[in-house]
Amino acid sequence: MDKKTSDGAYWEAWQTSFMNEAFTTLRRFTSIPFLPEKMERVRKGVTPRETIYEEDRLKVYHYIGEGEPRFKTPLCFVFALVNRPYIMDLKEGRSIVANYVKAGFDTYLIDWGTPTRAERFLTTDDYVNGYLLNVVEHLRERHGSDQVNLLGYCMGGTLSTMFTAIHQDLVKNLVLLATGIDFSTREGLINLWTDPRYFDVDKFVDTMGNIPAEFLQSAFLMLKPIANLVEKPINLMENIHRDEFVDDYLHMETWLNDNIPVPGEVYREFAKYLFQQNLLTKNRMPLGRHIVDLRKITCPLLNLMARNDDLVPCAQSEPLNDLVSSTDKEKIIWPAGHIGLAVSGRAQKELWPRAVDWLVQRTD
Amino acid sequence: MNDNMNKGFDQVAAFQKLWTDSFANMASVWSQFSPASPPSDEVRKMRGGMLKVLAETWDEYMRTPQFMEMMKGSLNGALDLKRMARDGMNRVHEQFETPSKEDIDGVLLAIRHVERRLLDRLEGLDDRVANLDEKIDKVDQRIAKQENAIERREQTSKTKAEKPAATTGAEHSPSI
């Protein structure tokens, strides 16, 4: 091709690109006025449910499937204390709960509720050997079952692990997602920021009482400030004309901005005993009158981790498989982030059917 | 005073390093600009590269002791301010003889301690009941064993009593 022809093709490509970008930008701007309407359509949880147990601020939801459940042993989801649990049932096609309900499990989810000043002195022992134990006993009675299956996510996974170590006879199978166990790693920023040289947790909790939701949210945003504060809004503007993108974005942002306070004493114990002293892996974590010994866990274990997790790096979760006494244990490291592990399209299509199948083979 | 100044200078130096590193790395991203590709794609590529560089340098900076010292200083300062404000409010409440948040916390703590003591006692009772159950089970098992043993002895003596009676009957039968 001679220079004139190549120059012509080059300018044509530029002109086409400009025209396309101009039209796309116009579509973007015309989509903006419809955002408030789309925001109003966001629902918190999609699978039909009923509340079957309440205690103080805690509620337990039972998810209703289309047919009768196939399995006698119920499955209980245990989420973290820092966010609302509807991330497990975010929207159609992005719901872990729906996967298990469709597979025939009688599925329950614990909503810890929003703590007030009255809850500021609740400890981890109250949650594990109090609330969680009461829920498990209630489910056992409801189903006439000796045991339950537990699925814990993030801090909920840590609570479920402690529960299983103390009450192994009540747990049939344990599934964990992005669960922090070994806090000796310095990969995650939170591990660095809670170093006792830089963070006086006693002063913090004694002054603040419950840990405010705004503090936790700021800390999570600061883990990836450029991605959260710059890239995200840019991405939104670039894709605001795509309905599916906007729907996913709004659902995620609704949940991400729906933090709740954490009871002060629970925060103190997690910061001191786990992040600073790493007592769980040493089998010295005090929980009321118990000492958590991970070697007492003997049930089948499925440990799911996210390779690109900046909140709970794999190095925090992986060691659990070597610390328990279970003979049937498996770990899967999935290429996703902390939330993507649960709700990304690829995880929903490929990971969760595997995880469901794992539990199907081990429950009755 | 000198220590604080040195700390301050260290923090400023670390923050300055963040920006100089960012600009240096971004320059290498700009150098990859290729005029042959459509401008919107090139702009997106450059923007993505620049944001990636910024993200990496910020991550590195947030791991430095200087950043963590700065965060520690600002958090402690905020906590001290909150404490001062709270103490001030407590004094005002005290003067007006109205309950303050501290008083409410005190009541909550007292309730919590009572609850804890009750729960500990109940758990203690639970353990004692469980121990008693165990002991009763063991006693039940011993009684059952002994009852079985007595039954077997009775069976044996019954069988022995019946055997001699049968033998005597055969000796005294009249011959035909």
Side-chain angles (χ1 to χ4, degrees), chain B residues 52-155:
Chain B
K52 186 167 174 255
V53 159
L54 268 178
E56 281 165 5
T57 41
W58 267 99
D59 188 80
E60 210 179 290
Y61 173 63
M62 287 193 294
R63 290 170 187 275
T64 58
Q66 291 82 10
F67 173 80
M68 290 192 280
E69 281 289 349
M70 188 184 72
M71 290 303 292
K72 175 185 169 184
S74 48
L75 183 64
N76 284 342
L79 292 176
D80 290 337
L81 201 61
K82 191 169 166 67
R83 265 195 179 163
M84 266 169 54
R86 193 181 61 198
D87 291 343
M89 282 308 296
N90 284 339
R91 279 199 287 274
V92 167
H93 280 293
E94 213 180 298
Q95 291 303 312
F96 282 101
E97 292 186 358
T98 48
S100 64
K101 273 186 178 171
E102 201 175 279
D103 296 327
I104 295 169
D105 281 350
V107 170
L108 288 171
L109 200 52
I111 293 171
R112 178 97 191 115
H113 284 153
V114 167
E115 189 187 26
R116 197 68 279 164
R117 281 201 295 271
L118 281 171
L119 284 172
D120 284 345
R121 286 275 174 92
L122 280 171
E123 279 174 3
L125 281 169
D126 204 22
D127 287 342
R128 283 171 71 180
V129 165
N131 276 341
L132 278 170
D133 271 340
E134 227 179 278
K135 284 185 181 159
I136 290 169
D137 281 340
K138 282 188 183 153
V139 166
D140 275 342
Q141 279 170 11
R142 275 213 304 260
I143 292 172
K145 258 190 197 164
Q146 293 201 348
E147 276 177 353
N148 282 341
I150 292 169
E151 250 182 64
R152 264 186 269 127
R153 258 189 248 134
E154 278 177 1
Q155 283 278 9

Side-chain angles (χ1 to χ4, degrees), chain A residues 75-79 88 96 100 149-153 156-157 160 173-177 304 352 355 359:
Chain A
L75 168 63
C76 184
F77 282 66
V78 183
F79 193 63
M88 315 283 270
I96 306 177
Y100 283 96
N149 294 313
L150 283 184
L151 190 152
Y153 191 176
S160 302
N173 295 292
L174 181 62
V175 180
L176 301 174
L177 267 79
L304 303 171
W352 285 105
L359 196 60

Side-chain angles (χ1 to χ4, degrees), chain A residues 72-74 108 133-149 163 167 169-171:
Chain A
K72 185 181 160 213
T73 309
Y108 297 85
L133 180 59
N134 289 349
V135 169
V136 167
E137 292 290 357
H138 180 81
L139 294 181
R140 283 177 60 217
E141 211 180 291
R142 185 178 159 94
H143 287 269
S145 168
D146 290 334
Q147 296 176 313
V148 301
N149 294 313
F163 180 86
H167 306 281
D169 51 322
L170 302 179
V171 180

